[in-house]
């Protein structure tokens, strides 16, 4: 007799939640399969992937420009070119490492990519500070430090959240 009320209560709970209907279980399984299929470097995940290729290409060109223009700058401002080269090498190294992790589909990629974003942002802030405090006049239509910092903030927030919250990222790199 003790089992009877318990079984009755259990069957009532199953009816209330439609758990006794086998079609609901198949819907749950189909939904789970759909989420499990979200893996691979597609959709929004393609943008960081392509961005890393572009970063590597752009930094190589920027380092070439820095080296070629270093002799044209007053010696007291040459440190700015040297710092720019060092900053670019750091970002380039992180971009190459992140790209390698992309190809390997490594679990470390989301963390390393977030570090890449943070370092990129910090370097943008440092560069803006150095440029603004150097008394150099720069053509703001060519390079605007404030705009670079703004882009860095937006990119950092958007891609940090994506790397932390995306089901596709978790299925591709973490699971």
């Amino acid at each position: 007799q003790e089992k009877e009320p318990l079984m009755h209560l259990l069957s009532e709970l199953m009816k209330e939640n439609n758990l006794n209907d086998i079609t609901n279980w198949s819907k749950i399984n189909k939904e789970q399969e759909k989420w499990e299929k979200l893996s691979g470097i597609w959709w929004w995940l393609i943008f960081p992937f392509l961005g890393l290729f572009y970063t590597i290409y752009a930094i190589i060109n920027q380092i070439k420009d820095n080296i070629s223009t270093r002799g044209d700058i007053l010696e007291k401002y040459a440190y700015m070119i040297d710092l720019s080269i060092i900053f670019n090498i750091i970002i380039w190294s992180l971009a190459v490492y992140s790209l390698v992790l992309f190809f390997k589909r490594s679990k470390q990629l989301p963390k390393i990519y977030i570090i890449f974003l943070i370092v990129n942002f910090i370097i943008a802030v440092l560069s803006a500070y150095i440029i603004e405090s150097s008394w150099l006049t720069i053509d703001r239509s060519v390079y605007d430090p404030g705009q670079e910092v703004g882009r860095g903030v937006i990119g950092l927030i958007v891609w940090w959240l994506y790397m932390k919250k995306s089901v596709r990222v978790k299925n591709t790199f973490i699971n």
Side-chain angles (χ1 to χ4, degrees):
Q1 285 181 341
E2 290 178 22
K3 290 183 182 178
E4 217 170 285
L6 184 61
M7 291 304 283
H8 178 69
L9 179 63
L10 186 58
S11 68
E12 287 300 316
L13 283 171
M14 290 177 72
K15 284 179 187 174
E16 284 177 22
N17 295 311
N18 289 330
L19 296 176
N20 57 348
D21 187 2
I22 195 71
T23 58
N24 285 332
W25 286 105
S26 66
K27 286 178 189 175
I28 291 169
N29 286 337
K30 285 180 184 176
E31 192 67 24
Q32 183 179 359
E33 288 173 10
K34 181 178 106 177
W35 284 104
E36 287 173 355
K37 288 180 184 177
L38 284 176
S39 66
I41 302 172
W42 298 108
W43 300 107
W44 290 106
L45 197 52
I46 196 79
F47 291 112
F49 182 71
L50 293 175
L52 289 171
F53 275 111
Y54 175 75
T55 299
I56 292 167
Y57 169 77
I59 286 180
I60 288 172
N61 287 331
Q62 194 170 1
I63 289 172
K64 286 180 191 176
D65 290 344
N66 286 344
I67 290 170
S68 67
T69 59
R70 190 177 188 289
D72 299 337
I73 292 184
L74 295 172
E75 192 58 41
K76 68 179 184 174
Y77 295 116
Y79 78 94
M80 292 175 60
I81 296 292
D82 296 338
L83 279 176
S84 177
I85 290 171
I86 291 168
F87 289 163
N88 283 324
I89 290 171
I90 292 168
I91 294 172
W92 183 86
S93 300
L94 282 169
V96 168
Y97 185 56
S98 295
L99 203 54
V100 167
L101 294 178
F102 249 108
F103 282 114
K104 289 183 174 184
R105 292 188 180 194
S106 172
K107 289 181 178 183
Q108 291 180 323
L109 177 77
K111 291 178 199 168
I112 297 300
Y113 191 75
I114 289 170
I115 291 170
F116 166 76
L117 294 171
I118 292 169
V119 168
N120 207 359
F121 172 71
I122 290 170
I123 287 175
V125 170
L126 287 173
S127 296
Y129 175 76
I130 290 169
I131 288 171
E132 293 297 325
S133 66
S134 69
W135 300 92
L136 286 177
T137 56
I138 58 169
D139 183 3
R140 299 224 183 248
S141 65
V142 176
Y143 178 78
D144 185 2
Q147 191 177 26
E148 290 299 315
V149 170
R151 269 191 220 144
V153 167
I154 292 169
L156 176 63
I157 292 169
V158 168
W159 294 115
W160 183 324
L161 290 173
Y162 184 74
M163 289 292 168
K164 287 291 191 184
K165 302 285 183 185
S166 170
V167 173
R168 182 174 297 277
V169 170
K170 287 178 183 160
N171 287 344
T172 302
F173 299 106
I174 295 172
N175 295 337

